[in-house]
Amino acid sequence: MRGLLIRLVLAVLSAMSVLSPAIAQPRPPLVLAAASLQESLSEAARVWAAQGHGRPVISFAASSALARQIAAGSPADIFISADTDWMDDVQRRGLIRPGTRSSFLGNRLVLIAPAAARGGIAIRRGFPLARALGTGRLAMADPAAVPAGRYGKAALTALGVWPSVQGRLAKGDSVRAALALVASGNAPYGIVYETDARASRAVRVVGVFPAASHPPITYPIAVLTTARSPDTIGFRRFLTSPAGRAIFRRFGFSAR
């Protein structure tokens, strides 16, 4: 009986020795990030993990959808938006940890076409986008909510083109959905960020929208009040550090 008890104790201790490293491992940060950051932020997470940290878990979607998730109680640690409006919305709800918000990236807005398409369009006031579409539609992220769509609508409005195309949109729920419509050939033109165009060989940039035609494209980052991962502050600090910004620059972002 005594021998059986000793064997049971040893078995329990052996199981604890196997499980204890997993139990001791701190939970990595859960990051909610704008869809346009997929490649760059994934690379930053890989570099961070290679330094001995737990690899952050990242959920990519439109900033609007992520902000609504946060408002609904999503237990995330960090939020990175593609515009200030949705970060402002989260902050107004008291869901951002004070002193952790900053804008650290920028981008450019471009017009894209399928890579095999010929010709181009000079983007200027009154440029003939509607005529160039032919019988097709203009792919855009939803201009009613998604940052890329809002920037696109602002640019087309400033250039006097919006009235001619607003009824001919193929709306996506994120900028990557708009990119996919053009990459697949289901839309002859689309409006995305320059970094999105660089991420796909199936499209090419046919024009860059003047920076003055739309609000500055900026990516704010903040720690959420629901943050529980002990690595949250460290990962945020890494992303905004010179080393982190260098990663984003490699993918076409401007770093502030």
Side-chain angles (χ1 to χ4, degrees):
M1 187 70 172
R2 184 178 177 183
L4 176 61
L5 181 59
I6 292 174
R7 286 197 296 273
L8 286 172
V9 171
L10 290 174
V12 170
L13 290 174
S14 177
M16 288 178 66
S17 68
V18 171
L19 293 174
S20 58
I23 294 172
Q25 183 70 28
R27 179 177 73 79
L30 172 57
V31 183
L32 303 183
S36 51
L37 293 166
Q38 285 184 34
E39 293 78 15
S40 56
L41 187 56
S42 294
E43 174 62 9
R46 185 196 67 76
V47 172
W48 170 257
Q51 296 175 1
H53 307 281
R55 181 160 184 156
V57 177
I58 309 173
S59 177
F60 295 104
S63 301
S64 51
L66 297 174
R68 293 180 185 121
Q69 288 179 29
I70 294 168
S74 176
D77 298 291
I78 295 173
F79 177 39
I80 308 177
S81 174
D83 73 354
T84 58
D85 288 349
W86 284 111
M87 186 65 79
D88 289 345
D89 180 79
V90 172
Q91 187 164 15
R92 279 193 296 268
R93 296 174 187 273
L95 300 175
I96 288 178
R97 190 177 293 180
T100 65
R101 174 177 174 173
S102 65
S103 292
F104 74 121
L105 298 175
N107 215 329
R108 295 203 299 174
L109 198 66
V110 299
L111 185 68
I112 59 171
R118 294 289 180 266
I121 300 179
I123 297 181
R124 58 179 182 271
R125 181 161 188 83
F127 72 102
L129 180 56
R131 187 170 67 226
L133 289 172
T135 58
R137 291 181 175 272
L138 176 66
M140 289 180 64
D142 185 357
V146 184
R150 288 178 169 177
Y151 292 127
K153 178 181 178 180
L156 293 175
T157 299
L159 296 170
V161 177
W162 179 250
S164 66
V165 300
Q166 62 179 327
R168 303 181 59 188
L169 302 180
K171 301 177 185 177
D173 59 8
S174 72
V175 68
R176 287 304 173 96
L179 176 70
L181 286 169
V182 180
S184 64
N186 287 309
Y189 292 99
I191 297 177
V192 299
Y193 300 123
E194 183 178 34
T195 53
D196 296 297
R198 288 179 56 160
S200 174
R201 295 182 179 180
V203 304
R204 65 184 182 90
V205 174
V206 296
V208 178
F209 286 90
S213 68
H214 56 81
I217 299 173
T218 184
Y219 290 71
I221 182 174
V223 173
L224 300 171
T225 56
T226 52
R228 295 294 179 269
S229 171
D231 270 348
T232 297
I233 297 299
F235 187 53
R236 180 203 173 279
R237 187 180 297 121
F238 170 71
L239 293 178
T240 58
S241 71
R245 292 169 195 260
I247 293 172
F248 290 103
R249 286 195 192 96
R250 291 208 316 265
F251 286 85
F253 291 89
S254 58
R256 301 176 178 180

